[in-house]
Amino acid sequence: MEAVLKNLASTVELLAVAAHSGVVEQWDKQTLSRAFHWARYCEHLFSRFHNNSAVRRIMEKQLQLTNQSLQAAIPGYTEVSFSDLPRCQHHLLLGLLNNPKLPSSIMRILFDSKSPADTKHSEYPDVTGLCSHMIQCKSACKVLNPLTDQSAVGADAEVQGVMLMERLGALMSQSSEACRTEHFLDSVLQGCERAAEHFCRVIAAALLTTENSASQTALQDFLMDWLQKKHMLMHMCSALPTTLLMDLAKEHLKFRDAYYDVLKKWASDMEYSISEGEWVQTSTNPTVSFQKLTEHFQALFDTCPSLRDDVEKELNALKISDGDFDVRGLSVWGDLLSHSENNGKIY
């Protein structure tokens, strides 16, 4: 029993290290696997002894002593109770994800979607893709739950968006960690190069998380600033459905203004093709048709009616700078304005 109590205390200390210590910066895949091995060991202890009142009391006493020691040594430490033991791997994972010092190499292991984690059949479990496996399970719950509203971004992207915001919150909890947070986002972007559209949905889900707090707003503003810095907004506006873009425009003034700037950029890159009898883009990647551009403007006006007058004034000023001609095909701004003034709509 002495060895069991020693292992129990050591594992609780491990959970504290994973959640609060900078030591995790030195962790590799083998260290990570051993950590989850010991977390699983504590789950086994609970399964074996939770109905044995005598052994349970001894284990609870050990947990009390270990918690007291850790609370004295680590500010913000949250104690581990006997009832927490059956979810030890979960607590370990959350502790790691909320630790600002967790290196991107470990994040990549946990979120690797190519190699699903096997946590049941080996002494030291393969933790590769553990987060991806958890995302799949949570997504399935959302899809199968008839009481859950259909997500505009998709269940898996919604789960990942929440996890992304939690990770950003952990990194931003240290005021000097802005560069580290940007590096984390850069690594996520790099890892999603072959799934750019899904990445855009994850970002949208993160921006649409509904927790109303000053810290949440600050995180979303930081994410918006990063998107603009990386010139990602143009791709988002092209990849996401218009309804989702309108949800973002309603929720975030900064996104609405940036979205309008993207529409102007698309328009400025257009030239009139005599052979096609239409405005076509010449340099913007990805490309958008003039018809699609007018649909974006119409959706923006329908969602944000107060924006209409200011936009039409700016379009008119840009038309004047092009010569103020009323002939179709001479100014993209004039043609956009003409559509806008036709029955009060862009269509």
Side-chain angles (χ1 to χ4, degrees):
M1 194 65 202
E2 182 179 350
V4 169
L5 296 177
K6 182 179 179 180
N7 290 335
L8 176 63
S10 296
T11 305
V12 173
E13 291 169 355
L14 171 66
L15 294 179
V17 167
H20 299 283
S21 174
V23 173
V24 295
E25 289 184 305
Q26 309 302 320
W27 281 22
D28 56 16
K29 185 175 182 179
Q30 185 177 11
T31 308
L32 187 67
S33 295
R34 285 200 301 267
F36 276 95
H37 164 76
W38 287 110
R40 189 174 62 165
Y41 169 83
C42 283
E43 293 178 359
H44 174 71
L45 289 182
F46 179 88
S47 177
R48 183 177 178 183
F49 296 120
H50 72 282
N51 286 326
N52 187 322
S53 58
V55 174
R56 176 168 178 162
R57 281 195 298 271
I58 295 172
M59 293 177 66
E60 287 176 339
K61 179 63 176 178
Q62 179 61 62
L63 287 171
Q64 182 181 3
L65 294 173
T66 305
N67 283 324
Q68 289 174 349
S69 175
L70 291 170
Q71 283 174 332
I74 302 175
Y77 170 76
T78 302
E79 68 177 31
V80 177
S81 66
F82 187 81
S83 61
D84 289 324
L85 295 185
R87 302 181 73 237
C88 234
Q89 291 185 89
H90 174 75
H91 289 301
L92 173 59
L93 181 59
L94 288 184
L96 287 169
L97 293 178
N98 286 316
N99 188 336
K101 299 297 184 180
L102 186 68
S104 57
S105 58
I106 297 297
M107 292 288 290
R108 282 193 291 270
I109 293 171
L110 292 171
F111 281 93
D112 184 354
S113 60
K114 298 177 182 178
S115 307
D118 177 5
T119 59
K120 296 181 179 180
H121 303 296
S122 61
E123 181 181 4
Y124 289 93
D126 179 9
V127 295
T128 305
L130 189 61
C131 283
S132 295
H133 176 69
M134 183 172 70
I135 289 167
Q136 291 170 3
C137 292
K138 287 190 174 183
S139 299
C141 290
K142 282 184 171 291
V143 170
L144 295 174
N145 186 352
L147 301 179
T148 301
D149 293 335
Q150 288 294 320
S151 169
V153 296
D156 53 347
E158 184 177 351
V159 172
Q160 288 172 290
V162 172
M163 294 179 70
L164 176 62
M165 290 301 289
E166 290 174 350
R167 179 61 181 164
L168 291 180
L171 291 170
M172 291 294 289
S173 63
Q174 299 183 6
S175 59
S176 61
E177 294 293 321
C179 292
R180 188 184 185 93
T181 307
E182 287 188 1
H183 177 71
F184 163 69
L185 287 171
D186 290 345
S187 66
V188 174
L189 175 60
Q190 184 178 8
C192 294
E193 287 179 346
R194 296 184 179 179
E197 182 176 348
H198 180 73
F199 177 73
C200 290
R201 288 181 176 273
V202 172
I203 295 295
L207 291 171
L208 290 172
T209 49
T210 55
E211 179 187 332
N212 294 319
S213 67
S215 60
Q216 186 81 345
T217 300
L219 289 176
Q220 291 173 334
D221 284 344
F222 182 90
L223 186 54
M224 273 297 307
D225 290 340
W226 177 81
L227 287 170
Q228 290 178 295
K229 184 176 180 180
K230 294 297 177 181
H231 308 291
M232 279 290 298
L233 281 171
M234 188 173 295
H235 186 81
M236 281 188 67
C237 292
S238 177
L240 295 178
T242 306
T243 53
L244 187 51
L245 294 172
M246 293 308 103
D247 288 340
L248 290 166
K250 283 188 291 187
E251 291 296 324
H252 298 283
L253 179 61
K254 185 178 289 190
F255 182 88
R256 188 196 73 181
D257 292 342
Y259 174 52
Y260 174 47
D261 287 341
V262 167
L263 298 186
K264 287 190 293 183
K265 171 63 175 172
W266 280 342
S268 67
D269 285 341
M270 286 185 169
E271 291 183 358
Y272 191 78
S273 170
I274 297 177
S275 61
E276 296 184 30
E278 189 58 273
W279 290 94
V280 295
Q281 281 191 317
T282 58
S283 60
T284 304
N285 187 23
T287 60
V288 63
S289 68
F290 184 76
Q291 176 63 32
K292 188 64 177 178
L293 179 62
T294 60
E295 291 172 2
H296 277 286
F297 269 106
Q298 179 59 52
L300 183 60
F301 286 170
D302 289 344
T303 303
C304 309
S306 61
L307 192 64
R308 184 187 192 92
D309 288 343
D310 291 338
V311 169
E312 289 187 343
K313 286 178 183 178
E314 184 171 5
L315 291 178
N316 190 57
L318 290 167
K319 175 195 171 189
I320 292 173
S321 70
D322 278 348
D324 200 17
F325 298 106
D326 291 324
V327 179
R328 185 174 184 270
L330 293 182
S331 170
V332 68
W333 313 112
D335 286 356
L336 283 171
L337 189 61
S338 176
H339 280 296
S340 177
E341 292 172 346
N342 188 352
N343 297 321
K345 292 184 178 180
I346 285 181
Y347 59 88

